Short mmCIF file of all heavy atoms in Angstrom, two decimals:
data_model
loop_
_atom_site.label_atom_id
_atom_site.label_comp_id
_atom_site.label_asym_id
_atom_site.label_seq_id
_atom_site.Cartn_x
_atom_site.Cartn_y
_atom_site.Cartn_z
N GLY A 10 -9.18 -2.52 10.61
CA GLY A 10 -8.06 -2.08 9.78
C GLY A 10 -8.37 -2.21 8.30
O GLY A 10 -8.60 -3.30 7.80
N GLY A 12 -6.31 -1.46 5.79
CA GLY A 12 -5.07 -1.45 5.01
C GLY A 12 -5.09 -2.61 4.02
O GLY A 12 -6.13 -3.25 3.80
N ALA A 13 -3.92 -2.89 3.44
CA ALA A 13 -3.84 -3.94 2.41
C ALA A 13 -4.36 -5.27 2.93
O ALA A 13 -5.08 -5.99 2.22
CB ALA A 13 -2.39 -4.08 1.95
N VAL A 14 -4.04 -5.60 4.17
CA VAL A 14 -4.41 -6.93 4.69
C VAL A 14 -5.91 -6.99 4.98
O VAL A 14 -6.61 -7.90 4.51
CB VAL A 14 -3.58 -7.27 5.95
CG1 VAL A 14 -4.01 -8.60 6.53
CG2 VAL A 14 -2.09 -7.29 5.62
N ASP A 33 -12.16 1.36 10.43
CA ASP A 33 -10.81 1.93 10.51
C ASP A 33 -10.87 3.28 11.21
O ASP A 33 -11.81 4.04 11.01
CB ASP A 33 -10.19 2.09 9.12
CG ASP A 33 -8.68 2.18 9.20
OD1 ASP A 33 -8.16 3.19 9.74
OD2 ASP A 33 -8.00 1.23 8.74
N LYS A 34 -9.85 3.57 11.98
CA LYS A 34 -9.78 4.86 12.67
C LYS A 34 -9.54 6.00 11.67
O LYS A 34 -9.83 7.15 11.97
CB LYS A 34 -8.70 4.85 13.74
CG LYS A 34 -7.29 4.65 13.23
CD LYS A 34 -6.27 4.72 14.35
CE LYS A 34 -4.88 4.36 13.89
NZ LYS A 34 -4.37 5.00 12.69
N ASN A 35 -8.99 5.69 10.52
CA ASN A 35 -8.72 6.73 9.51
C ASN A 35 -10.00 7.09 8.75
O ASN A 35 -10.96 6.35 8.77
CB ASN A 35 -7.66 6.24 8.51
CG ASN A 35 -6.31 6.03 9.18
OD1 ASN A 35 -6.09 6.50 10.30
ND2 ASN A 35 -5.42 5.33 8.51
N GLY A 40 -5.12 2.23 4.69
CA GLY A 40 -4.20 1.85 5.76
C GLY A 40 -3.19 2.92 6.10
O GLY A 40 -3.30 4.07 5.67
N ASP A 41 -2.20 2.52 6.86
CA ASP A 41 -1.10 3.40 7.22
C ASP A 41 0.13 2.98 6.40
O ASP A 41 0.48 3.64 5.43
CB ASP A 41 -0.82 3.33 8.73
CG ASP A 41 -1.88 4.10 9.52
OD1 ASP A 41 -2.50 5.02 8.94
OD2 ASP A 41 -2.09 3.78 10.69
N ALA A 42 0.73 1.83 6.76
CA ALA A 42 1.88 1.35 5.99
C ALA A 42 1.50 1.15 4.51
O ALA A 42 2.29 1.42 3.61
CB ALA A 42 2.38 0.03 6.58
N SER A 43 0.26 0.72 4.28
CA SER A 43 -0.13 0.34 2.91
C SER A 43 -0.16 1.52 1.96
O SER A 43 -0.16 1.33 0.75
CB SER A 43 -1.50 -0.33 2.93
OG SER A 43 -1.50 -1.38 3.86
N ASN A 46 4.48 3.09 1.05
CA ASN A 46 5.54 2.10 0.84
C ASN A 46 6.12 2.23 -0.57
O ASN A 46 5.78 3.16 -1.30
CB ASN A 46 5.01 0.69 1.12
CG ASN A 46 3.83 0.35 0.25
OD1 ASN A 46 3.84 0.60 -0.94
ND2 ASN A 46 2.78 -0.19 0.86
N SER A 47 6.95 1.28 -0.95
CA SER A 47 7.65 1.38 -2.24
C SER A 47 6.80 0.89 -3.41
O SER A 47 7.16 1.07 -4.57
CB SER A 47 8.94 0.54 -2.20
OG SER A 47 9.66 0.75 -1.01
N LEU A 49 6.33 -2.17 -4.40
CA LEU A 49 6.92 -3.28 -5.16
C LEU A 49 6.15 -4.57 -4.91
O LEU A 49 5.75 -4.85 -3.78
CB LEU A 49 8.38 -3.51 -4.75
CG LEU A 49 9.31 -2.30 -4.79
CD1 LEU A 49 10.74 -2.75 -4.55
CD2 LEU A 49 9.20 -1.57 -6.10
N VAL A 174 -11.45 1.43 17.09
CA VAL A 174 -11.79 0.38 18.06
C VAL A 174 -11.14 0.73 19.39
O VAL A 174 -9.93 0.96 19.47
CB VAL A 174 -11.33 -1.00 17.54
CG1 VAL A 174 -11.43 -2.05 18.64
CG2 VAL A 174 -12.17 -1.40 16.34
N ALA A 203 -4.75 -4.54 12.32
CA ALA A 203 -4.50 -3.14 12.68
C ALA A 203 -3.04 -2.73 12.50
O ALA A 203 -2.63 -1.68 13.01
CB ALA A 203 -4.98 -2.87 14.10
N ARG A 313 6.90 0.67 8.89
CA ARG A 313 6.63 -0.77 8.81
C ARG A 313 6.24 -1.27 10.21
O ARG A 313 6.90 -0.91 11.18
CB ARG A 313 7.86 -1.53 8.34
CG ARG A 313 8.49 -1.03 7.05
CD ARG A 313 9.89 -1.61 6.92
NE ARG A 313 10.62 -1.16 5.76
CZ ARG A 313 11.38 -0.05 5.73
NH1 ARG A 313 11.47 0.73 6.79
NH2 ARG A 313 12.05 0.26 4.64
N VAL A 338 3.23 -8.40 9.80
CA VAL A 338 3.20 -8.18 8.34
C VAL A 338 3.96 -6.88 8.07
O VAL A 338 3.38 -5.82 7.91
CB VAL A 338 1.75 -8.11 7.83
CG1 VAL A 338 1.72 -8.05 6.31
CG2 VAL A 338 0.96 -9.31 8.32
N ARG A 339 5.26 -6.99 8.00
CA ARG A 339 6.11 -5.78 8.04
C ARG A 339 6.47 -5.29 6.64
O ARG A 339 5.71 -4.52 6.07
CB ARG A 339 7.36 -6.05 8.87
CG ARG A 339 7.86 -7.52 8.79
CD ARG A 339 9.30 -7.71 8.64
NE ARG A 339 9.57 -8.78 7.69
CZ ARG A 339 10.71 -8.89 7.05
NH1 ARG A 339 11.67 -8.04 7.22
NH2 ARG A 339 10.90 -9.89 6.20
N SER A 340 7.55 -5.79 6.02
CA SER A 340 8.02 -5.15 4.78
C SER A 340 7.44 -5.75 3.51
O SER A 340 7.80 -5.34 2.43
CB SER A 340 9.53 -5.28 4.68
OG SER A 340 10.13 -4.72 5.78
N THR A 341 6.60 -6.75 3.62
CA THR A 341 6.23 -7.51 2.42
C THR A 341 4.72 -7.59 2.21
O THR A 341 4.25 -8.29 1.32
CB THR A 341 6.76 -8.95 2.57
OG1 THR A 341 6.30 -9.47 3.84
CG2 THR A 341 8.26 -9.02 2.54
N GLY A 342 3.97 -6.85 3.04
CA GLY A 342 2.53 -7.09 3.12
C GLY A 342 1.72 -6.66 1.92
O GLY A 342 0.61 -7.18 1.71
N LEU A 343 2.23 -5.72 1.13
CA LEU A 343 1.46 -5.35 -0.06
C LEU A 343 1.43 -6.54 -1.02
O LEU A 343 0.38 -6.95 -1.50
CB LEU A 343 2.12 -4.12 -0.71
CG LEU A 343 1.35 -3.48 -1.84
CD1 LEU A 343 0.11 -2.76 -1.30
CD2 LEU A 343 2.22 -2.48 -2.59
N THR A 344 2.61 -7.12 -1.25
CA THR A 344 2.69 -8.28 -2.14
C THR A 344 1.95 -9.48 -1.54
O THR A 344 1.25 -10.21 -2.25
CB THR A 344 4.18 -8.70 -2.33
OG1 THR A 344 4.94 -7.56 -2.66
CG2 THR A 344 4.32 -9.76 -3.38
C1 FAD B 1 8.73 2.18 3.93
C2 FAD B 1 7.96 0.94 3.56
C3 FAD B 1 8.24 0.27 2.38
C4 FAD B 1 7.54 -0.90 2.06
N1 FAD B 1 7.70 -1.46 0.83
C5 FAD B 1 6.93 -2.54 0.48
C6 FAD B 1 7.00 -3.06 -0.84
O1 FAD B 1 7.68 -2.51 -1.70
N2 FAD B 1 6.28 -4.16 -1.13
C7 FAD B 1 5.48 -4.79 -0.20
O2 FAD B 1 4.88 -5.81 -0.51
N3 FAD B 1 5.36 -4.28 1.04
C8 FAD B 1 6.05 -3.17 1.39
N4 FAD B 1 5.94 -2.62 2.64
C9 FAD B 1 5.13 -3.33 3.63
C10 FAD B 1 3.65 -3.07 3.50
O3 FAD B 1 3.40 -1.70 3.28
C11 FAD B 1 2.97 -3.54 4.78
O4 FAD B 1 3.38 -4.86 5.07
C12 FAD B 1 1.47 -3.55 4.61
O5 FAD B 1 1.06 -2.32 4.10
C13 FAD B 1 0.79 -3.84 5.93
O6 FAD B 1 -0.59 -3.72 5.71
P1 FAD B 1 -1.60 -3.75 6.92
O7 FAD B 1 -2.95 -3.74 6.34
O8 FAD B 1 -1.22 -4.86 7.84
O9 FAD B 1 -1.28 -2.42 7.76
P2 FAD B 1 -1.72 -0.88 7.54
O10 FAD B 1 -1.68 -0.48 6.14
O11 FAD B 1 -0.89 -0.10 8.48
O12 FAD B 1 -3.24 -0.86 8.00
C14 FAD B 1 -3.62 -1.00 9.34
C15 FAD B 1 -4.89 -0.20 9.55
O13 FAD B 1 -5.39 -0.45 10.85
C16 FAD B 1 -6.01 0.73 11.31
N5 FAD B 1 -6.13 0.71 12.77
C17 FAD B 1 -5.11 0.64 13.67
N6 FAD B 1 -5.61 0.69 14.93
C18 FAD B 1 -6.96 0.80 14.82
C19 FAD B 1 -8.03 0.90 15.76
N7 FAD B 1 -7.80 0.90 17.07
N8 FAD B 1 -9.29 1.01 15.29
C20 FAD B 1 -9.54 1.02 13.96
N9 FAD B 1 -8.55 0.93 13.02
C21 FAD B 1 -7.29 0.81 13.44
C22 FAD B 1 -5.08 1.83 10.83
O14 FAD B 1 -5.73 3.08 10.79
C23 FAD B 1 -4.69 1.31 9.45
O15 FAD B 1 -5.53 1.85 8.45
C24 FAD B 1 6.60 -1.43 2.97
C25 FAD B 1 6.31 -0.75 4.15
C26 FAD B 1 6.96 0.46 4.42
C27 FAD B 1 6.55 1.25 5.62
#
Side-chain angles (χ1 to χ4, degrees):
V14 177
D33 200 293
K34 63 177 173 49
N35 295 345
D41 285 335
S43 308
N46 58 45
S47 315
L49 307 188
V174 169
R313 307 165 183 88
V338 187
R339 33 136 221 158
S340 302
T341 53
L343 188 71
T344 310

